[in-house]
Amino acid sequence: MAAGQPAAPGAVSAATGDSTRFLISDLCSELEAYLEPEEVEEVYRAYLLGAESHEGQTRKTGEPYIYHPLAVARTMAEMRMDHQAISAAILHDVMEDTATSKDRIHAEFGEEVAELVDGVSKLTHLQFQSKAEAQAENFRKMMLAITRDIRVILIKLADRLHNMRTLGVMRPDKRRRIAKETLEIYAPIAQRLGMNAMRRELEALGFSAKHPWRAAVLERAVHRAGGNRREPMRNIEQAICSRMEAAGIVGRISGREKSLYSIYRKMRDKHHSFEDVFDVFAIRIIVDDVDTCYRSLGVVHNLYKPVPGRFKDYIAIPKSNGYQSLHTILFGPQGIPIEIQIRSTEMDRVAESGIAAHWQYKAGSESSRTAQSRAREWLKDVLEIQNSVGNSIEFLENVKVDLFPDEVYTFTPEGDILVLPRDATPIDFAYAVHSDVGNRCVAAKIDRQLAPLSVRLQSGQTVEIVTSPGARPNPAWLSFVVTGKARTGIRHCLKSMQSEEARTLGERLLEKALESLDTSLPRISPARLDQMLDAMQLADLDALLIDIGLGNRMASLVARQMVGKEAPDANEEPTTLAVKGTEGLVLNYARCCHPIPGDPIIGQLSAGRGLVVHRENCRNVLHESRDRGDRTIALEWSHEPQLQFTAAVRTRTANRRGALADMAAVIADHGSNIEHISFNEQDGHSTAMTFLLTVRDRQHLAQIMRGLRRLPDVLRIARQRG
Ligand code: MN
């Protein structure tokens, strides 16, 4: 049993500066301890490419640039990472800062290294702009969401660590900004991944760079108070040591220095005085196995009285990042509290380096294990620990979501982060901003490029919604949006649009019907109208018009009631309504006969759906209501130029290669598009097809058909009837 020894070596060296340069030879000898010779060789080749690429560049410190990537690789080597990760660490800035391309890295070092370097470069592009503190959490998640290989995060952390170690050369304002980002983004990521050694150093460097004055004051206070404590501290350590020896327990005991940042945070967040926070002895006991942890706990509880209610068993119930330990507080001599942590060597390793501990290179492990499968393995291990105590909910919320997210993290143009479910589209984004933005959305720009409104958003993208005051939601959006907010917003807006359209159509139908009875709406007495509305149990005239427009009531019947006529007159003029062309919510063109301007048309009112426009000879309207005239209405085209309609054309074409291409060319030459082709039947010589073509009117369609008929392969062609 030895007291006073340092705690288990952390995953990250505690080097405080780069006074002695770390050279490629140093890196190689460090790697030789755990990698195969040919793997070390490859890392060396990566070094040669890195040195060549960064040739002539220097850092702010005045050093050749290559010392920075070498220092990053060193941290990765201390975490015992595989050779691809080390190579990528050496090359991590070449894509960003030099002319060396991803293709070249791919060609020389394979896909894995190229993807890692690419991943780090992508994270470098991600700028955390928002001032809002609450967004930091989302930004951390976004970093993890973008990263498909967790080693990219480890390289990024090592990169940030070296930048923080050499921060002194930066301008004070830049130093503070980087320090803030380190404290808000990088240190918490290290913590989330269980990498406490990394977290502690990032926090220490970040704290002294962000609050140099507070850090200096605290440090002096710690130094002053520390002098008086050395003696009692040694006595306590000795006392615990001999008790454990007497119990036959082998282990290591070490006094722990509280970090300045953790003292600062406790003082700030819990409003404790410096004495309250600092006047605590902190001791860590590391033993071989779990059993011995509990036995050691018994020993220390026997030596000093435990403070009631302060014992925590993180071995049985680990923290969400997999951290395991026993924590207890004892009443020491003179009533000074002693904080004790007890854990096994393995738990200590995990507590210091977290996910990296799981990553550590294992000799002979098959290389087929992908990076992601290792991350999953780590996850599985942590999950198993969690499951054994039935505490997996918090874990799932914290860790799994980060590594395998169900969410995408996107930026607004102002740099705020918007969290959306996976598969969300720009429309979901627009409605998440505001329902007005959604309702008026006409286009979207993703990373400044115009993009389809139905595209699936990816984490890290900046989305800008283009709106227009007169725009309205498109019913087709409902087929691809994923958020409830977008769905409700679209439906709500469509419903009010439908009522508006139905009211307008209803009014036109009723006016036409009244006209044929030689009267008009203004000439109907209000009393008569109220009486009718009462009988129909309708609130007002609008409700009646909407009902007519939706096809729930016949305009001609309502008109007759209004003038007090029961039966139709023989000399009553049939009414004709002009159709403006644009399809809407209560006016639709029948999919059976595809009417186009120039065709004789007829309207059929169907309850709740409004008016469907058919060609007059369409079989679907033939039998039923046509003769009775109760649900149909005569229609005519009103002139509205340059609208697009759809016409269906049936063809029989010889089976010759290129026949279809020739037809497509003719159609395109006539300024039409093929919306859809269906193949109906085929024999040895010919194929029957139906084309849906966009046309302006009958004349346009006739020109296209004439053009097609001239093709030798087109054996037969005709417009499809309903
Ligand atoms: Mn870098």
Side-chain angles (χ1 to χ4, degrees):
M1 195 74 218
Q5 270 186 9
V12 178
S13 87
T16 44
D18 281 4
S19 48
T20 51
R21 268 182 191 170
F22 184 77
L23 305 170
I24 180 63
S25 50
D26 301 323
L27 179 67
C28 287
S29 53
E30 181 126 20
L31 295 178
E32 272 154 14
Y34 71 98
L35 291 181
E36 301 295 326
E38 58 273 18
E39 293 171 337
V40 179
E41 177 69 23
E42 188 172 319
V43 170
Y44 187 74
R45 283 202 300 114
Y47 166 76
L48 293 180
L49 176 60
E52 178 199 319
S53 304
H54 289 297
E55 176 78 61
Q57 295 177 341
T58 52
R59 294 200 96 213
K60 277 249 162 59
T61 53
E63 280 186 323
Y65 196 90
I66 189 68
Y67 286 110
H68 163 63
L70 263 183
V72 175
R74 174 194 203 172
T75 301
M76 299 294 284
E78 283 162 354
M79 290 193 259
R80 292 286 182 265
M81 299 299 289
D82 51 40
H83 70 280
Q84 289 99 335
I86 306 276
S87 300
I90 294 181
L91 297 171
H92 81 268
D93 276 331
V94 301
M95 275 175 61
E96 196 60 23
D97 299 341
T98 79
T100 305
S101 69
K102 183 181 177 186
D103 287 344
R104 174 148 184 217
I105 300 171
H106 188 284
E108 293 188 26
F109 299 97
E111 186 176 355
E112 213 171 319
V113 175
E115 286 301 330
L116 287 171
V117 175
D118 191 41
V120 178
S121 304
K122 282 206 182 97
L123 287 188
T124 308
H125 279 295
L126 208 62
Q127 288 292 328
F128 183 57
Q129 300 162 333
S130 176
K131 307 281 175 294
E133 193 121 329
Q135 293 277 33
E137 170 71 21
N138 282 334
F139 191 81
R140 294 196 291 268
K141 285 186 179 171
M142 164 147 36
M143 280 189 65
L144 291 163
I146 288 170
T147 309
R148 261 167 301 164
D149 188 330
I150 201 75
R151 287 176 296 179
V152 167
I153 294 284
L154 303 185
I155 295 173
K156 196 69 203 164
L157 287 170
D159 178 41
R160 177 50 62 115
L161 183 64
H162 185 247
N163 287 338
M164 289 302 293
R165 283 174 179 171
T166 55
L167 195 62
V169 293
M170 293 290 195
R171 277 206 326 261
D173 60 324
K174 209 163 178 196
R175 217 185 296 167
R176 268 193 302 276
R177 186 186 60 76
I178 296 174
K180 181 175 191 290
E181 198 181 65
T182 301
L183 290 175
E184 288 180 4
I185 310 290
Y186 290 92
I189 286 181
Q191 178 172 32
R192 190 52 68 81
L193 297 175
M195 303 165 71
N196 284 316
M198 172 74 82
R199 188 208 81 214
R200 272 200 306 273
E201 193 178 348
L202 288 174
E203 283 179 352
L205 294 166
F207 178 47
S208 62
K210 190 171 175 230
H211 301 297
W213 179 244
R214 294 175 218 190
V217 169
L218 263 188
E219 188 164 16
R220 268 202 300 279
V222 167
H223 190 77
R224 234 181 295 126
N228 310 325
R229 294 162 29 114
R230 219 154 286 143
E231 195 54 35
M233 186 73 183
R234 206 168 9 239
N235 292 340
I236 293 168
E237 279 180 33
Q238 272 308 331
I240 295 177
C241 216
S242 48
R243 281 294 183 96
M244 286 180 66
E245 262 171 19
I249 296 172
V250 181
R252 281 176 298 144
I253 297 180
S254 56
R256 280 188 305 121
E257 281 294 320
K258 277 230 159 89
S259 81
L260 291 183
Y261 188 59
S262 76
I263 295 172
Y264 168 70
R265 234 184 351 206
K266 274 204 180 116
M267 289 170 66
R268 185 192 62 188
D269 298 346
K270 300 190 175 161
H271 306 291
H272 286 326
S273 70
F274 173 74
E275 282 70 27
D276 285 348
V277 178
F278 188 72
D279 243 6
V280 173
F281 291 114
I283 287 174
R284 181 174 300 156
I285 300 172
I286 294 169
V287 295
D288 285 341
D289 51 44
V290 176
D291 267 12
T292 319
C293 290
Y294 289 102
R295 278 172 58 216
S296 308
L297 180 74
V299 168
V300 297
H301 278 184
N302 214 344
L303 177 60
Y304 302 111
K305 233 185 216 337
V307 177
R310 299 302 297 274
F311 167 65
K312 292 204 181 78
D313 188 346
Y314 292 121
I315 291 180
I317 303 174
K319 289 195 182 177
S320 65
N321 59 12
Y323 174 86
Q324 287 187 290
S325 217
L326 299 175
H327 288 190
T328 187
I329 297 179
L330 311 171
F331 291 110
Q334 288 110 47
I336 296 173
I338 311 169
E339 274 182 19
I340 306 256
Q341 297 179 348
I342 305 170
R343 56 200 190 214
S344 72
T345 315
E346 177 61 19
M347 289 172 194
D348 191 51
R349 199 171 68 93
V350 170
E352 289 300 299
S353 41
I355 194 169
H358 202 87
W359 218 276
Q360 285 167 2
Y361 180 88
K362 286 170 200 142
S365 66
E366 63 279 37
S367 58
S368 68
R369 282 161 69 211
T370 63
Q372 208 60 354
S373 80
R374 288 202 197 201
R376 277 182 198 282
E377 240 168 67
W378 173 71
L379 211 56
K380 212 181 80 199
D381 278 9
V382 183
L383 193 57
E384 252 161 38
I385 302 169
Q386 300 286 334
N387 278 342
S388 64
V389 292
N391 180 30
S392 56
I393 293 167
E394 185 206 7
F395 164 77
L396 283 171
E397 277 175 2
N398 287 333
V399 188
K400 187 160 180 293
V401 166
D402 284 0
L403 290 178
F404 306 102
D406 287 325
E407 290 161 332
V408 288
Y409 299 85
T410 53
F411 286 114
T412 67
E414 291 76 37
D416 289 335
I417 295 170
L418 214 57
V419 186
L420 297 164
R422 205 202 333 238
D423 289 340
T425 63
I427 296 293
D428 293 293
F429 183 98
Y431 277 97
V433 173
H434 196 278
S435 54
D436 281 347
V437 176
N439 289 338
R440 309 230 155 96
C441 169
V442 287
K445 286 183 183 169
I446 296 177
D447 295 332
R448 302 212 179 118
Q449 303 275 317
L450 272 175
L453 290 173
S454 59
V455 76
R456 305 287 174 208
L457 296 175
Q458 309 280 322
S459 281
Q461 289 176 332
T462 299
V463 184
E464 187 189 338
I465 299 297
V466 184
T467 57
S468 155
R472 304 158 140 203
N474 182 336
W477 293 352
L478 287 169
S479 65
F480 57 73
V481 296
V482 297
T483 55
K485 196 162 181 213
R487 205 172 295 281
T488 322
I490 296 166
R491 287 225 176 94
H492 186 260
C493 190
L494 287 177
K495 205 163 160 55
S496 62
M497 277 163 56
Q498 192 189 35
S499 306
E500 184 49 40
E501 275 186 34
R503 205 197 66 83
T504 310
L505 177 66
E507 189 171 12
R508 290 173 66 204
L509 289 169
L510 186 61
E511 284 288 12
K512 280 281 176 192
L514 287 169
E515 205 180 296
S516 69
L517 298 170
D518 292 325
T519 182
S520 69
L521 208 45
R523 282 158 62 193
I524 306 296
S525 77
R528 174 80 189 135
L529 197 58
D530 282 346
Q531 192 189 351
M532 276 182 65
L533 290 173
D534 267 359
M536 291 168 172
Q537 294 184 317
L538 290 170
D540 51 20
L541 179 63
D542 278 354
L544 173 62
L545 296 176
I546 288 170
D547 242 15
I548 295 172
L550 286 175
N552 294 333
R553 273 172 214 283
M554 288 301 306
S556 53
L557 285 179
V558 174
R560 266 180 240 128
Q561 260 178 292
M562 280 181 167
V563 297
K565 266 193 198 170
E566 288 311 315
D569 268 354
N571 56 3
E572 219 172 85
E573 295 249 329
T575 59
T576 302
L577 197 71
V579 171
K580 281 246 175 64
T582 335
E583 261 195 313
L585 294 157
V586 291
L587 176 75
N588 291 286
Y589 293 104
R591 303 273 178 264
C592 47
C593 55
H594 294 288
I596 58 176
D599 287 334
I601 45 175
I602 186 165
Q604 187 165 30
L605 280 160
S606 54
R609 291 213 331 235
L611 190 63
V612 182
V613 180
H614 290 266
R615 281 159 74 189
E616 209 173 57
N617 57 2
C618 177
R619 282 181 218 118
N620 290 338
V621 243
L622 265 179
H623 338 286
E624 298 177 29
S625 45
R626 185 189 300 263
D627 296 329
R628 296 201 309 275
D630 55 351
R631 291 228 155 252
T632 60
I633 177 152
L635 296 176
E636 63 184 21
W637 296 98
S638 73
H639 292 287
E640 188 122 336
Q642 300 304 323
L643 281 168
Q644 295 256 300
F645 293 86
T646 303
V649 172
R650 295 171 62 94
T651 62
R652 182 163 282 280
T653 311
N655 293 339
R656 188 190 64 83
R657 186 186 303 202
L660 196 56
D662 290 345
M663 295 172 76
V666 168
I667 291 164
D669 282 349
H670 283 85
S672 168
N673 285 317
I674 301 174
E675 267 177 19
H676 184 78
I677 302 179
S678 52
F679 293 86
N680 306 335
E681 57 183 82
Q682 188 168 22
D683 58 30
H685 309 288
S686 65
T687 306
M689 288 177 280
T690 304
F691 288 79
L692 290 187
L693 302 177
T694 59
V695 298
R696 287 186 298 276
D697 50 27
R698 266 171 88 94
Q699 211 183 348
H700 187 203
L701 176 63
Q703 287 162 5
I704 299 168
M705 285 173 64
R706 220 175 298 135
L708 288 172
R709 206 170 274 133
R710 282 197 207 110
L711 291 173
D713 294 318
V714 175
L715 310 175
R716 219 180 316 142
I717 181 163
R719 185 162 176 208
Q720 180 172 278
R721 305 191 131 227

